[in-house]
Amino acid sequence: MPTKYIIVTGGVLSGLGKGIAAASIGHLLSAKLKIVPIKCDGYLNVDPGTMNPFEHGEVFVLDDGAEVDMDFGHYERFLGVRCKSNWNLTMGKVFNMVRKKERRGDYLGKTVQYIPHVTDLIKDHIGQVVKEESPDLVIVEIGGTVGDIENELFLEAMRQMKKDVGRNNIVFVHLTYVPIPAGVNEQKSKPTQQSVNLLKQRGIFPDIIIGRSPEFLTPEIKTKISNFCDVKPEAVITGLDVDDIYEIPIIFEREGLPENIHKRLNIYSPPDLRKWKKLVENIRNPDKEITVAMCGKYTKLEDSYASIIESFNHCSAHLRCKVNLKWVEATGLKDAAWLDQVDGLVVPGGFGSRGSEGKIEAIRLARESNIPFLGLCLGLQLAVIEFARHVCGLDGANSTEMDAETPHPVIDILPEQRAVTEKGGTMRLGAYPALLTEGSVVHSLYGAKKVYERHRHRYEVNPDYHEVLKEKGMVFSGMSPDGKLVEFIELPELKFFCATQAHPELKSRMEFPSPLFLGFVKACMG
Ligand code: GLN
């Protein structure tokens, strides 16, 4: 069977959930097919690693160390795949490649042009991924909204692909918006019509239209969209507003999306959502409830912590326990009143000194009051600083990231990290192994001696302070295989006090929640 392609575009508005739609389509087809998701982003950054999460949402990190768009989080969580760096194509990457080729003389004698040179490069890149992975199906998500200048070249490349791969091997899915204006109380198709027209002007004729809407699309509106946009009525699918994104594959199945794709592509891979539905049902009908304080810097934008939120959803699905996240703005932490209203504290990853003192104070309160604590990356570093200051008596202990002059740099950049200058400066990125100490909390949670979690940080626990921290009772329950880097810490005499230098939230899945999150939530449940 030739490789099949599903191209997902979006119209009308950004933020309609194209990534989740693409991931959900993939989920529904994944039973029998090997699927590779590819995301094309129009921005000129080479990757989102240097973008502010407040603006762009979480930076997702892959096993191979690539910093990619947060939609890769959805792909991995919905498709059960481990994505790779070259599955994310940005205009920044494309232009880098074009310039490199031009300088190398690859185009000698030619005027280098958007069409065909840039569009060819986009298609060649996708072709290369297909060659490497031999997938049955490639899902290409085009970032942005049709009509944006930024994504024109990607759309043009997708238009050309029809001819290259054959019309029976490619399906165009367009996500739009079907509003129900207040007062009118009727589903409106005009934005969809206009957005589809923009797409048609670019030579792309959608086969399937997903209309994001607060209600199921009525047969009338489906007929109307069908008439105006030249798709079959059954190919107009509701993209319902839901509380929980894991419901989307269930909605799409109910709306007949898989059959539509099967027919168009001449494939057959019926979904089996039984287990998935049960887990979603558990999220919907919890029999317990806990409240967890999230003490971060970007508390105004939940997208900045998307994977952490999803990790808690995965725990909810398995423990039937609703996890309410109470966002505590670390920069404004003045008193401990918030502590009485929560069952646990999470200090997530972060960069820079803003809010670090507030977070350290929050960790001190959690430790002294024996409230379950989970530290992620920066959360581990701040827990070590707190312990150094208040238990080891190392006044002014800090990370050199926060205070370059600290008398006790318990967290510091290690010399070997300083030597690395590629990609994101001195960051340690991607999956690294850790060896867990037998008998430790993390060892029992993971049920394994060697675990791989993903990293994205510069600083480490300074080896000069390992001994004093250990002497005072901090357990280094996971170390890098060479024994130099602290990967997990815990305070075993407390109910639950664990932290890791990694980001276990990046590998949590609906079917396989992160063991560390699961242990933390169970501890919060008491
Ligand atoms: N800023 C810290 C470091 O670079 C922690 C990074 C993080 O939490 N991802 O080491």
Side-chain angles (χ1 to χ4, degrees):
M1 182 180 91
T3 299
K4 306 278 179 174
Y5 295 83
I6 297 177
I7 314 298
V8 181
T9 56
V12 189
L13 304 176
S14 62
L16 291 179
K18 215 171 344 114
I20 290 164
S24 299
I25 294 170
H27 184 83
L28 289 169
L29 299 169
S30 60
K32 286 199 182 137
L33 305 176
K34 178 177 175 187
I35 303 179
V36 164
I38 293 181
K39 170 100 199 263
C40 299
D41 283 304
Y43 50 74
L44 295 177
N45 306 62
V46 170
D47 63 43
T50 50
M51 291 188 215
N52 180 351
F54 194 75
E55 213 176 277
H56 187 75
E58 166 185 82
V59 176
F60 198 76
V61 180
L62 304 178
D63 275 349
D64 65 13
E67 297 176 286
V68 291
D69 187 87
M70 62 182 286
D71 278 336
F72 280 88
H74 302 312
Y75 303 155
E76 290 205 342
R77 287 187 281 265
F78 279 73
L79 289 169
V81 287
R82 296 279 168 85
C83 296
K84 296 185 187 160
S85 154
N86 62 347
W87 301 3
N88 193 189
L89 192 55
T90 65
M91 230 359 121
K93 268 191 204 171
V94 171
F95 284 175
N96 265 359
M97 290 190 269
V98 172
R99 283 176 46 122
K100 214 159 119 197
K101 276 167 79 96
E102 192 273 335
R103 291 293 86 189
R104 211 165 50 198
D106 289 9
Y107 304 115
L108 222 51
K110 293 265 186 315
T111 310
V112 184
Q113 292 182 301
Y114 286 131
I115 304 168
H117 302 107
V118 176
T119 46
D120 277 356
L121 206 133
I122 293 167
K123 291 190 295 175
D124 289 350
H125 185 91
I126 293 173
Q128 185 57 35
V129 174
V130 169
K131 210 163 124 200
E132 283 164 17
E133 308 293 336
S134 314
D136 302 306
L137 175 68
V138 177
I139 299 179
V140 185
E141 181 194 342
I142 307 296
T145 309
V146 57
D148 295 346
I149 287 181
E150 295 207 318
N151 59 23
E152 294 287 3
L153 291 166
F154 286 126
L155 288 175
E156 168 58 15
M158 294 308 110
R159 182 193 70 77
Q160 295 174 15
M161 272 185 53
K162 273 187 305 210
K163 177 164 64 51
D164 300 351
V165 304
R167 198 60 184 93
N168 295 333
N169 298 322
I170 190 163
V171 160
F172 289 90
V173 178
H174 190 54
L175 175 68
T176 71
Y177 183 45
V178 179
I180 305 175
V184 182
N185 263 342
E186 191 190 325
Q187 298 175 345
K188 288 294 187 185
S189 68
K190 191 76 78 195
T192 299
Q193 294 176 40
Q194 292 180 337
S195 161
V196 168
N197 279 340
L198 286 176
L199 205 55
K200 285 179 173 173
Q201 282 166 21
R202 285 152 184 82
I204 294 175
F205 301 85
D207 303 294
I208 295 171
I209 292 174
I210 301 176
R212 171 82 188 259
S213 182
E215 289 170 8
F216 274 100
L217 301 184
T218 60
E220 292 75 31
I221 195 98
K222 287 189 177 187
T223 307
K224 199 165 174 191
I225 292 175
S226 155
N227 286 338
F228 278 104
C229 302
D230 303 314
V231 295
K232 297 202 177 93
E234 64 268 25
V236 183
I237 306 288
T238 308
L240 193 67
D241 291 353
V242 287
D243 294 330
D244 164 17
I245 54 171
Y246 299 98
E247 291 177 36
I248 294 291
I250 301 171
I251 307 279
F252 282 179
E253 185 196 35
R254 176 174 157 185
E255 287 280 290
L257 183 85
E259 293 80 3
N260 266 292
I261 292 177
H262 293 164
K263 259 190 248 157
R264 278 247 35 135
L265 292 179
N266 195 20
I267 51 174
Y268 188 61
S269 180
D272 179 0
L273 292 182
R274 277 172 301 181
K275 193 170 168 210
W276 188 268
K277 279 185 182 160
K278 222 175 135 231
L279 292 169
V280 171
E281 215 34 56
N282 285 350
I283 298 179
R284 251 193 252 151
N285 302 306
D287 48 27
K288 297 159 237 51
E289 198 169 328
I290 57 165
T291 300
V292 169
M294 266 274 269
C295 190
K297 190 164 71 167
Y298 304 109
T299 49
K300 286 197 199 77
L301 194 69
E302 303 204 352
D303 266 5
S304 322
Y305 300 112
S307 292
I308 296 179
I309 296 172
E310 293 318 324
S311 300
F312 279 121
N313 280 332
H314 304 156
C315 293
S316 298
H318 285 261
L319 301 172
R320 290 194 69 171
C321 174
K322 182 164 192 258
V323 181
N324 301 304
L325 292 178
K326 191 176 161 70
W327 303 86
V328 182
E329 182 65 51
T331 43
L333 261 190
K334 281 183 201 77
D335 55 60
W338 57 272
L339 201 67
D340 299 335
Q341 299 149 24
V342 302
D343 303 294
L345 168 69
V346 178
V347 176
F351 292 83
S353 59
R354 189 160 67 87
S356 66
E357 288 303 319
K359 292 180 206 171
I360 292 170
E361 187 54 16
I363 297 170
R364 184 180 69 81
L365 290 167
R367 182 178 56 79
E368 289 176 350
S369 325
N370 198 5
I371 287 178
F373 165 72
L374 175 63
L376 305 168
C377 202
L378 180 69
L380 173 140
Q381 299 174 355
L382 297 178
V384 167
I385 294 169
E386 189 282 315
F387 194 81
R389 286 185 191 172
H390 303 124
V391 180
C392 305
L394 301 172
D395 287 343
N398 215 328
S399 162
T400 48
E401 181 179 14
M402 323 297 171
D403 175 8
E405 307 297 318
T406 169
H408 297 293
V410 290
I411 307 294
D412 199 4
I413 295 193
L414 302 190
E416 45 270 49
Q417 281 299 112
R418 282 204 188 102
V420 189
T421 50
E422 278 281 291
K423 258 203 280 181
T426 46
M427 287 250 224
R428 187 149 78 106
L429 287 165
Y432 285 90
L435 300 181
L436 306 183
T437 313
E438 227 130 330
S440 64
V441 173
V442 289
H443 182 257
S444 78
L445 289 175
Y446 278 90
K449 180 100 186 74
K450 188 177 190 182
V451 298
Y452 286 83
E453 293 287 9
R454 295 177 186 172
H455 290 244
R456 182 174 186 253
H457 60 105
R458 286 192 179 83
Y459 295 80
E460 305 280 352
V461 180
N462 186 341
D464 295 346
Y465 291 90
H466 285 185
E467 276 319 306
V468 53
L469 291 162
K470 281 200 251 185
E471 252 165 45
K472 293 289 180 183
M474 179 166 274
V475 171
F476 295 162
S477 44
M479 298 293 289
S480 60
D482 64 5
K484 281 190 189 151
L485 304 177
V486 176
E487 305 285 32
F488 291 86
I489 61 162
E490 55 195 61
L491 296 177
E493 69 280 8
L494 297 183
K495 225 189 279 168
F496 187 97
F497 192 103
C498 289
T500 171
Q501 190 57 77
H503 288 279
E505 68 273 20
L506 299 177
K507 276 172 66 176
S508 186
R509 300 283 180 272
M510 183 75 147
E511 299 90 332
F512 310 101
S514 159
L516 206 54
F517 277 79
L518 216 46
F520 171 71
V521 171
K522 279 186 190 159
C524 293
M525 287 162 65

